[in-house]
Amino acid sequence: MSQLSESSELFVNCDEEVTSICKKLQQILTTVDTQEDKIFALKEAQSCIDSANENLKQMEVELQGFAKNIKDNLKEQFIMQKRKLEEMKKVYNQMKSKYESITSKDQLFGKDQQRQNLLKQQEKLYDQNMKIQDAKVVMYGLEKEANDIQINLHIQTNKIKGSIGKQQPIRDALSNSYTLIKTMQHRIRNNKLVLFVVCGIILFALLIIIFMHM
């Protein structure tokens, strides 16, 4: 570590980063069998490998700027990290090959399953289409009945309007009769009044004549 402390800070940071990434990669590879989404775990492992390679490339670049005595010691650290990563890459490639094969079979099965699901969906669509056609027939029948009812209502309305038109002269005649009756009643009242006046005058005249002969 004393020699590492004399190296560039970037080399040390990259070395520590590779160590951290390798630990994470080791954890992923040892638990990938228990992961529900194995493909996602393998993609995460590939991301770790790519990140570690980038850091190793940077470490290799940094080595070129050191003195020979420091360079030799740091190179051993670099080679050790690189070998560790290579071993993990082998394990990763084995798992990738294994699960890609399984995934391919699952995909083939999945395609058959998708085909079956598609057929089922087509059957459902056919059934729904037939139901829609039946509903259209029913709606056509209901629409025809509604049109017939509307036509009948129109005919009945015209008949009622005709009846009302025929009743109008009767109403006018009744109105005229009512007016005539009112006029006659008024005349009768006037005649009665005249009759009462005449009778009163005659009665008054008789009374005067009777008093004169007494």
Side-chain angles (χ1 to χ4, degrees):
M1 292 295 295
S2 61
Q3 289 176 327
L4 281 176
S5 62
E6 296 173 359
S7 65
S8 73
E9 183 179 353
L10 184 56
F11 184 91
V12 174
N13 290 338
C14 289
D15 180 63
E16 291 176 351
E17 187 67 21
V18 171
T19 300
S20 175
I21 292 171
C22 286
K23 286 181 180 179
K24 181 179 179 180
L25 179 58
Q26 181 67 33
Q27 183 180 6
I28 294 171
L29 294 176
T30 53
T31 59
V32 68
D33 288 329
T34 60
Q35 295 292 326
E36 183 176 354
D37 191 347
K38 296 178 175 54
I39 299 301
F40 176 79
L42 290 172
K43 287 181 179 179
E44 191 175 10
Q46 180 63 59
S47 177
C48 289
I49 291 171
D50 293 340
S51 181
N53 280 326
E54 290 297 323
N55 280 279
L56 285 172
K57 287 178 182 179
Q58 187 63 41
M59 289 172 67
E60 190 173 13
V61 170
E62 291 298 314
L63 282 174
Q64 307 304 320
F66 295 133
K68 187 176 184 305
N69 60 332
I70 299 176
K71 182 178 179 179
D72 291 339
N73 291 329
L74 295 179
K75 191 173 183 179
E76 291 181 4
Q77 178 69 11
F78 169 76
I79 292 172
M80 181 182 70
Q81 294 281 42
K82 191 172 183 179
R83 285 176 180 172
K84 186 191 298 184
L85 182 61
E86 290 295 329
E87 290 297 324
M88 291 185 178
K89 283 176 66 175
K90 288 179 182 179
V91 176
Y92 163 78
N93 289 329
Q94 290 173 356
M95 289 187 171
K96 182 181 178 183
S97 177
K98 171 184 174 183
Y99 288 114
E100 281 183 347
S101 175
I102 294 173
T103 303
S104 298
K105 292 179 181 178
D106 290 341
Q107 287 176 346
L108 289 174
F109 175 77
K111 288 181 180 179
D112 291 336
Q113 189 67 31
Q114 288 176 357
R115 192 177 296 108
Q116 292 177 4
N117 291 337
L118 182 60
L119 290 173
K120 288 180 180 179
Q121 289 178 355
Q122 288 176 344
E123 289 178 0
K124 289 181 180 180
L125 288 174
Y126 176 78
D127 292 338
Q128 290 176 354
N129 187 49
M130 293 303 297
K131 290 179 180 178
I132 290 172
Q133 294 300 325
D134 292 340
K136 285 182 178 179
V137 172
V138 173
M139 290 298 296
Y140 175 77
L142 292 174
E143 184 178 0
K144 187 175 182 302
E145 290 182 6
N147 288 334
D148 292 341
I149 292 171
Q150 187 176 7
I151 292 171
N152 290 331
L153 285 174
H154 182 70
I155 293 171
Q156 295 299 325
T157 301
N158 288 335
K159 287 182 178 179
I160 292 171
K161 287 181 178 178
S163 299
I164 292 173
K166 291 178 181 178
Q167 290 174 1
Q168 188 62 38
I170 298 173
R171 290 181 179 178
D172 293 340
L174 290 173
S175 179
N176 292 333
S177 297
Y178 177 77
T179 303
L180 181 59
I181 290 170
K182 294 293 287 185
T183 302
M184 291 175 66
Q185 287 177 344
H186 182 68
R187 287 178 180 178
I188 290 170
R189 281 197 297 269
N190 290 336
N191 291 335
K192 284 182 179 180
L193 182 60
V194 171
L195 180 61
F196 287 150
V197 170
V198 171
C199 290
I201 292 171
I202 293 171
L203 180 62
F204 182 72
L206 288 173
L207 289 173
I208 291 173
I209 293 170
I210 290 171
F211 279 118
M212 287 178 67
H213 284 84
M214 286 180 67

